[in-house]
Amino acid sequence: MEMKNEIRKLARIEEGPSPFVSLYLNTRWDSEQQRERTRLFIKNQLKRGKELLKGKEGLLAFEEDLARVEKFVEGLIRRSYDEAIDGMALFSSRGSDIFLVYPSFMPFDNEFYLDRLPVLRPLVRLASQYQDTLAVMVETDSARLFEISLEGLVSESTIENYVPGWHDQGGWAQLRYQRHIQEHRNKHHKEVAEQLTNLFDTGKWKRVVLIGQDRTLAHFRGFLPERVRQHITDAFPLDFSEERSTILRRIYERLFQREKEKVFQEVEELREKAYQGGRAVFGLNGVLEAINQGRVQTLYLSAAFHLPGGHCLRCGTLFLQDPSSTTFVCPLCKEEAKGVDLGEEMVRFVFRQDGEVKWAEGNPLLKEHEHVAASLRFR
């Protein structure tokens, strides 16, 4: 599945008659004790949710959610699902007839939310740091192709060709034999490059990763068309005999680091645009204004952004809550508003406007500007 499209669908869900359970889990379990801790976490959180809703509308539907969530998590703990999945996001609302599950190859922190709508920030944070990727491990006579999404390995294929080995014969015979070896190696790398290119040309894959020794990869690159070379995100050596799980984890970890570096660079470029009066804005007031006007192309947030806000029930304005006030009143139309988590609502607004959200972890420039910035569609 295309995770960003799924997030847009989640962002467009309207409030229903009962609350939503949003559950994020780290399922990278190395022992039975870790599984038991997860079981206890779920039990305590569902009990807390039931207490919060005691005597309120939606309790009956939540009790049905409770049973569905417990059953699913118990299946995870008892290994009824894919062991290669290290993270799981779950959204459930019996009143809205919604039960959605999104696996992830990378773990989430264990988090539980009971709110009026699905809580998206942990899912967006992970999805924004990864794009669907083609990875190829290349040797002289063999190759492994991996099609990888955030949910895990989509497909793996192996290519093997005969390439003769070296011998100690000298003179012209040696030169002819070297050319013979080179022809076989060229044929092998050409075949691998063609398969990689055919997959890339489907349009699904956004990144390309090469794995192998420097000399081998330098030779292999020569068989790739420019349109593929432009999307090579990373290249590094790794033993061909490594287990699949080790290979995939290494790819994910390096891709996340590359994306972090890319976002840092994007934020720096935003600063130049903002100083020149271009299509960029830093700081909460400017970003909120742009969101309310539907001008945000990409919202940049850091994990440190946590503020209370309000969402006007009449005009739809999103605003920062006045810390001296205990009521939520729209600053524009002066009508009643509802309290919201401002960061969560900003994310939802931007996705509903077909924008993007990116996390800039530990970015000092964002820290100077209330942990938020945005690129704009127009001024």
Side-chain angles (χ1 to χ4, degrees), residues 140 163-164 166 175-189 215 219 223:
T140 302
V163 177
W166 297 96
L175 291 175
R176 285 196 302 271
Y177 195 68
Q178 287 178 1
R179 286 196 296 269
H180 180 61
I181 293 172
Q182 187 65 40
E183 288 171 2
H184 278 274
R185 186 173 68 159
N186 289 348
K187 181 181 177 181
H188 169 64
H189 283 178
R215 288 184 62 184
H219 183 263
F223 294 92

Side-chain angles (χ1 to χ4, degrees), residues 22-70:
S22 299
L23 176 64
Y24 292 92
L25 292 175
N26 179 343
T27 60
R28 187 180 286 177
W29 296 312
D30 298 323
S31 66
E32 289 304 316
Q33 288 78 10
Q34 289 177 327
R35 294 174 186 273
E36 186 57 36
R37 281 197 291 269
T38 300
R39 183 185 283 112
L40 185 60
F41 168 78
I42 296 299
K43 181 179 179 180
N44 290 338
Q45 293 301 316
L46 293 177
K47 179 181 178 182
R48 183 176 66 86
K50 193 171 181 179
E51 291 172 351
L52 288 172
L53 289 175
K54 190 174 183 179
K56 297 181 181 179
E57 184 180 356
L59 176 59
L60 183 60
F62 174 72
E63 289 178 336
E64 293 185 34
D65 282 320
L66 185 152
R68 292 199 295 184
V69 171
E70 279 190 318

Side-chain angles (χ1 to χ4, degrees), residues 68-298:
R68 292 199 295 184
V69 171
E70 279 190 318
K71 181 179 179 181
F72 180 82
V73 173
E74 190 63 29
L76 282 176
I77 292 172
R78 292 182 181 276
R79 301 180 174 91
S80 299
Y81 308 107
D82 189 350
E83 288 276 333
I85 297 302
D86 285 344
M88 191 69 71
L90 182 153
F91 305 96
S92 180
S93 176
R94 188 66 185 88
S96 298
D97 194 26
I98 290 175
F99 187 83
L100 299 169
V101 174
Y102 299 100
S104 166
F105 191 78
M106 295 298 287
F108 297 100
D109 293 329
N110 287 341
E111 294 179 283
F112 175 92
Y113 302 93
L114 185 62
D115 208 340
R116 59 192 181 85
L117 288 168
V119 173
L120 304 178
R121 285 179 72 174
L123 184 61
V124 173
R125 181 178 177 182
L126 189 64
S128 73
Q129 295 174 302
Y130 181 80
Q131 295 188 49
D132 290 344
T133 298
L134 286 172
V136 57
M137 294 186 75
V138 186
E139 287 196 326
T140 302
D141 57 358
S142 58
R144 297 171 71 181
L145 270 166
F146 302 94
E147 301 170 54
I148 312 168
S149 72
L150 183 61
E151 301 92 80
L153 181 66
V154 176
S155 180
E156 177 185 356
S157 56
T158 301
I159 304 169
E160 294 184 351
N161 286 296
Y162 170 70
V163 177
W166 297 96
H167 63 71
D168 296 328
Q169 188 175 356
W172 287 106
Q174 175 69 21
L175 291 175
R176 285 196 302 271
Y177 195 68
Q178 287 178 1
R179 286 196 296 269
H180 180 61
I181 293 172
Q182 187 65 40
E183 288 171 2
H184 278 274
R185 186 173 68 159
N186 289 348
K187 181 181 177 181
H188 169 64
H189 283 178
K190 182 180 179 182
E191 180 183 343
V192 176
E194 287 175 350
Q195 289 204 28
L196 178 65
T197 301
N198 288 338
L199 287 170
F200 178 82
D201 286 343
T202 63
K204 179 179 180 181
W205 310 103
K206 311 301 181 185
R207 302 283 178 86
V208 175
V209 172
L210 307 183
I211 306 171
Q213 299 304 314
D214 290 344
R215 288 184 62 184
T216 302
L217 293 185
H219 183 263
F220 175 70
R221 284 174 187 261
F223 294 92
L224 294 172
E226 181 61 26
R227 64 183 182 278
V228 176
R229 290 201 296 265
Q230 288 177 351
H231 287 80
I232 296 174
T233 302
D234 196 9
F236 60 92
L238 194 64
D239 195 304
F240 202 82
S241 63
E242 286 284 2
E243 293 185 0
R244 180 192 298 118
S245 59
T246 301
I247 296 168
L248 294 178
R249 194 158 291 159
R250 180 78 179 277
I251 292 170
Y252 276 103
E253 289 170 352
R254 290 180 67 95
L255 283 173
F256 281 129
Q257 182 59 36
R258 293 293 180 271
E259 187 63 25
K260 181 177 180 180
E261 294 166 359
K262 181 174 178 287
V263 171
F264 262 61
Q265 182 60 38
E266 289 178 10
V267 173
E268 287 294 329
E269 292 170 358
L270 277 186
R271 175 167 59 178
E272 297 303 316
K273 289 183 180 179
Y275 285 165
Q276 296 169 11
R279 293 184 297 176
V281 62
F282 282 80
L284 184 56
N285 288 336
V287 170
L288 277 177
E289 180 182 7
I291 288 176
N292 285 323
Q293 295 171 354
R295 293 188 290 126
V296 171
Q297 179 64 50
T298 303

